Amino acid sequence: MFPRDHLKNWYKGQGLWSDTPDYEWNTWQWQMRNRFNKKEDFDGYLKLTPDEEEGCGFADQKLLMSITPYFFNLIDRDDPDCPIRKQVIPRKSEKIVSPEELLDPVGEENNMVVEGLVHRYPDRVLFLATPYCASYCRYCTRSRLVSNAQDYNLHSEYDARIKYISEHPEIRDVLLSGGDPLVLSNRKIAELISRLRAIPHIEFIRIGTRVPVFMPQRINTELCEILKEHGPIFMSIHTNHPKECTIELKEACAKLLSSCVVMGNQSVLMKGVNDNADTLMSLSHRLLQMGVKPYYLYQCDLITGSAHFRTDVQKGIELIRQLRGFTTGYAVPQYVIDAPGGGGKIPINPDYVKEITGTEIILLNYQGNEYRYPLHGGV
Ligand code: SF4
């Protein structure tokens, strides 16, 4: 029996900063200014483990550390294995590089047609709008460029990217990502989206963002008006654990939904964070209660120094098997592997087809019971 979630049990992020006036706490600029960016920032707030101390020591050469006070408050400070803590505090395991790991695990550089624009699929592009995020995830697929710690120096100058899109009428879908586009100013976001909307063949604009999760204060009235004006905008947020589904995130999602933003969620399957069915089920249920469809569950990419996060693929398949049929179909994300080298996202599913004979397909339902269906359609 899976646990039921009730709104009264939702998390609320303030706690440590209870003396900070609401007018400061509730602004994204205050959250950005007061981020934990270096080891010493934890003094008086959190005792780092030796493993974390060592991890913090080299983060500035790999992927910067940055944690908003809001997100920091979701950490259980008495638990070194807290699933929130693991996502954002570097550990020494990041130094260990396995032979199969890559700086660019999904081959984006091979498909980079101009700086910051990846054209891999025929009708859509990935537009890297900025290298910066509100906080940095230790398993980030784009660690090579995000935060500019590795001197990638991705610039927020869009003319060449917009020109390429304008000259390619086969592109109908633009995914704005990065880094995180929602750390840009409202002026810059409005300008970028309106330039894209002015291109006649662009039908579909998506934003991939973790800002509502790291800093729901960013979802303010002005931003919502911009998104509404250019809607519908499709937005994928990124939560990995039910603790991230706070009252504040729920309110931010409500504002986005009422601004004609269509909401989905992407998660990364990670050891010790969300690699059990209860956690994934609870996360999905909370997302649905916020009006957010669990969209993708990613097998953790082969990013350099991420072996400590990766689960067996068989485990991921088994977890999906434990969700499918046992809860609402909307609550089951598509488990995918983003193929190393640039093959794109490949869906991975439990096998419900037992056999295909000359006349029928033999199926197994979610309980393992066998059913038959004629192979050929009617006359
Ligand atoms: S928010 Fe996204 S882009 Fe930024 S560090 Fe996390 S996974 Fe990477």
Side-chain angles (χ1 to χ4, degrees), residues 24 99 149 169 193 227 247 252 261 289 330 341-342:
E24 291 194 319
I193 297 180
L227 298 175
I247 290 287
V261 176
Q289 289 176 79
Y330 275 104

Side-chain angles (χ1 to χ4, degrees), residues 63 133 135-137 139-142 146 178-180 210 214 238:
L63 170 69
C133 302
S135 302
Y136 295 110
C137 314
Y139 51 86
C140 178
T141 299
R142 298 201 189 103
V146 162
D180 198 316
R210 214 179 174 192
F214 284 142
H238 171 174

